[in-house]
Amino acid sequence: MLMDCLAVLRAAHQPERAAQFGMKEFRQGLRGPLGPLLPPASGRSDRFDSMRLFDAQGLVRDAVQDLCSEHLVPQVALEQYWPWARVRAEQEEQHLFDLMRRLAPEDYRRARVLLGTHAAGPVRELRRQWDRLWMRFDFFESVADWPWCQVDGWWYPCPVCRWPMRAARSGAQFDVRCEAHAPRGVHYQYTPSKGPGPGELTGTGKAAVAVTPLPASSDHLTVSRPVWRYGTLPVLLELQLRNELVGLPFVELEMWPGEQRPDEYDLHITVAVPGKRTRHWRVDAKAWESVVALGKALTARPALRKGLTIVLPDHQYSERYFLAAQVHDRGVKVTTVSRLANRVKAACGAPR
């Protein structure tokens, strides 16, 4: 596998540069950020240069799978870590919403909210919350089948998205963190218990609030990783934006508008201040690991609404420029949650 990867890497470089790569240099390079291994590329605004494939324990990082699916990179070795089939992320996203489009508009909007608020938990609670929608979807999986999130027979839901956090051994302890929300400070340290029951989970980040351990049993379910990445996380961005703007003067909010294509955009914001021009934002939230792959997926769409505003998580603030350049000729703008919220507040005269 290493020889195959080295051959691909050498083929990507100019011949004089490729000649410098041997197996020893390649193996050493894999231990650090990818930048020194990659060929120079002008205008690349993705995080590949500084990205590390492996964590401190030598395990493949969660984000690698997202990048592989978004860029459609076949990698046999990754099957050891993620045995389910991977397809292009845009296809997975479309499959999810193809299922949801079959719902009545009211049920569609309820399912979107549930993806963000009840993506994992005890099966009894999930059945109660999803109610009549429960049997319409097949994207829930058992936490008992996910050893990477278990420690001493317990799992910990992220306090933001409720999805299982990854537990990685660090000496005698475990690092427990949410891959998506670790940049916001959702990470912990777990110390095993000397007796029965779960050990002690100590917050090590600013957003590491108290989390209740749950048994890693077959009666605890969670949405699949693709549904979490391309269904749950965007909904959380939409709800975050809505919660920041609800109740502001002269602001009207409509979640998932439209009857024929309710997923054309996620949030319609209208600011109608008397005596001023009415402002509109039609928002589509995206939570992709790679803005390069996202840009390619968006430009490949035959129908992309003109005037659309793509909203990214705040931690992708610096990457919005690259995506904006990719979709500029389609009449689409790109910003982050906080920047758009401040823009709307300024339009309606509310303090930021």
Side-chain angles (χ1 to χ4, degrees), residues 64-73 86-89 230:
V64 175
Q65 186 213 350
D66 297 325
L67 287 169
C68 285
S69 63
E70 290 169 5
H71 286 272
L72 197 60
V73 177
R86 293 183 307 276
V87 298
R88 189 182 176 103
Y230 307 111

Side-chain angles (χ1 to χ4, degrees), residues 257-271:
E259 298 296 327
Q260 300 301 318
R261 293 196 63 193
D263 60 317
E264 186 177 20
Y265 53 93
D266 305 315
L267 175 61
H268 187 188
I269 305 171
T270 303
V271 178

Side-chain angles (χ1 to χ4, degrees), residues 272-349:
V273 179
K276 294 185 177 181
R277 178 174 62 90
T278 300
R279 301 284 304 276
H280 295 274
W281 287 270
R282 293 174 175 83
V283 179
D284 188 10
K286 295 295 183 184
W288 287 47
E289 180 69 24
S290 167
V291 295
V292 172
L294 175 57
K296 292 179 179 179
L298 290 173
T299 54
R301 284 188 182 180
L304 193 60
R305 187 185 183 95
K306 190 174 183 179
L308 190 68
T309 298
I310 300 293
V311 171
L312 303 175
D314 287 339
H315 73 268
Q316 290 183 319
Y317 170 86
S318 62
E319 298 171 65
R320 75 187 193 280
Y321 298 109
F322 178 86
L323 183 59
Q326 295 291 96
V327 297
H328 176 72
D329 60 349
R330 303 288 295 274
V332 175
K333 298 181 179 180
V334 180
T335 187
T336 61
V337 173
S338 295
R339 287 179 64 85
L340 180 57
N342 288 336
R343 198 170 300 166
V344 173
K345 291 175 182 178
C348 72

Side-chain angles (χ1 to χ4, degrees), residues 133-186:
L133 297 175
W134 179 250
M135 300 303 295
R136 302 294 297 269
F137 303 104
D138 60 355
F139 46 58
F140 281 94
E141 301 177 8
S142 173
V143 175
D145 296 331
W146 291 9
W148 54 264
C149 68
Q150 303 174 23
V151 54
D152 294 338
W154 301 88
W155 69 279
Y156 292 85
C158 168
V160 178
C161 64
R162 307 301 300 169
W163 207 65
M165 293 189 286
R166 176 173 287 276
R169 181 177 292 277
S170 177
Q173 300 174 321
F174 286 84
D175 293 325
V176 179
R177 44 103 174 121
C178 176
E179 180 71 14
H181 298 108
R184 293 173 53 176
V186 181

Side-chain angles (χ1 to χ4, degrees), residues 193-221:
S193 172
K194 296 182 178 179
E200 181 180 358
L201 194 67
T202 304
T204 55
K206 61 181 180 181
V209 299
V211 175
T212 301
L214 297 173
S217 59
S218 57
D219 60 352
H220 284 74
L221 304 181

Side-chain angles (χ1 to χ4, degrees), residues 16-27:
E16 60 274 12
R17 169 64 171 156
Q20 301 176 18
F21 276 115
M23 179 53 70
K24 180 179 179 181
E25 292 74 21
F26 177 53
R27 291 176 66 98

Side-chain angles (χ1 to χ4, degrees), residues 10 16 42 56 75 103 107-108 114 118 120 143 147 165 189 192 243 246 248 250 281 283-284 298 304 342:
R10 292 182 65 173
E16 60 274 12
S42 60
Q75 193 60 272
L103 302 174
D107 287 340
Y108 173 90
L114 288 169
H118 291 83
V143 175
M165 293 189 286
Q189 190 171 76
N243 293 341
V246 68
L248 293 180
F250 314 117
W281 287 270
V283 179
D284 188 10
L298 290 173
L304 193 60
N342 288 336

